Amino acid sequence: IAEETPAAAADPKECAARLEAAGRLLEAVQRLCLVPRPTFRDALFFPHASALERLLALLRRAKFTIDVCVYCVTEERLVAALREKAAAGVAVRIVSDEDQAFNKGAAIFKTAAFAYTVVDEPLHEGANGRKAEGEREKRMHHKFCVVDHRILATGSFNWTGAASSRNCENILVSSEPKLVSARSSATDEWSARC
C-alpha cells in the first residue's frame, strides 16, 4: 500500500471512488458469506421404511412450532409425534381438507385436542352463486410441513398409512429460507381464512 499525502486523501472524487469500491466489496462479502444457506436437506422416498422414521425425526426436532398443511391425515404415528410435541410446549397448527376430514380413518379431528386445527372448506360457488350440490371448485390439496419456521418438508406425501407403507411418494426437505418463508406464509393465509 502506497503512502498517501493528505491532499490525495481529501480529493472528493478519490474518496467517492474508494467508498464505491468498499461498498461493492461489502456486497460481495455479504452475498458470498452472510446470506443464509440451507443447512438441512433431505429427500424421502416412500414406502421405504426409513422415510417415515426420518419424517418423524424431523417433527421431533421441533422446539417452537410445527405447521402442517396436508390434504389428508390418517397416519397415527405422525399424529402421535405431533401430540408429543404439543405436550412438550411446541405450538402445532394443522390445516386439512374438509372432505378428507370426514373419511373413514381420518385423524384430523383427533388433533383438535392438542393442536390449532383448521378443516378448510374452500369457497364453493355454483351457477347461481350458491354451493352446488356435489360441486367443489377448490381443494386444500397442499402437502407440506414447516418446523420452527426454519425447515420445510414438501412433496406428494399425504399423511396417511397408505402413503407411508404402500404408495410411491416423496418429500423434499430443505432449510432454504425463501422456500420456508413462502410455505410459512401459505399456512398463515390458510389458517386466517378458515
Side-chain angles (χ1 to χ4, degrees), residues 75-141:
E75 174 54 71
E76 290 294 334
R77 293 169 287 186
L78 292 170
V79 172
L82 294 172
R83 183 181 303 111
E84 290 168 16
K85 294 311 293 187
V90 172
V92 177
R93 293 189 305 174
I94 304 168
V95 179
S96 188
D97 185 76
E98 176 194 36
D99 288 347
Q100 293 301 309
F102 293 99
N103 281 351
K104 182 181 177 184
I108 193 65
F109 291 116
K110 293 178 186 178
T111 66
F114 62 84
Y116 175 75
T117 302
V118 173
V119 176
D120 179 53
E121 179 182 2
L123 300 173
H124 302 269
E125 210 171 287
N128 58 2
R130 296 184 182 157
K131 179 178 176 180
E133 193 62 37
E135 186 176 324
R136 180 107 186 233
E137 287 188 10
K138 299 177 183 175
R139 294 198 177 277
M140 203 307 298
H141 207 252

Side-chain angles (χ1 to χ4, degrees), residues 22-36:
R24 285 193 305 269
L25 178 63
L26 285 173
E27 287 175 7
V29 167
Q30 181 180 16
R31 190 173 51 252
L32 296 172
C33 302
L34 301 178
V35 172

Side-chain angles (χ1 to χ4, degrees), residues 148-159:
D148 290 336
H149 299 285
R150 289 184 30 248
I151 301 172
L152 168 68
T154 187
S156 66
F157 183 78
N158 274 308
W159 289 32

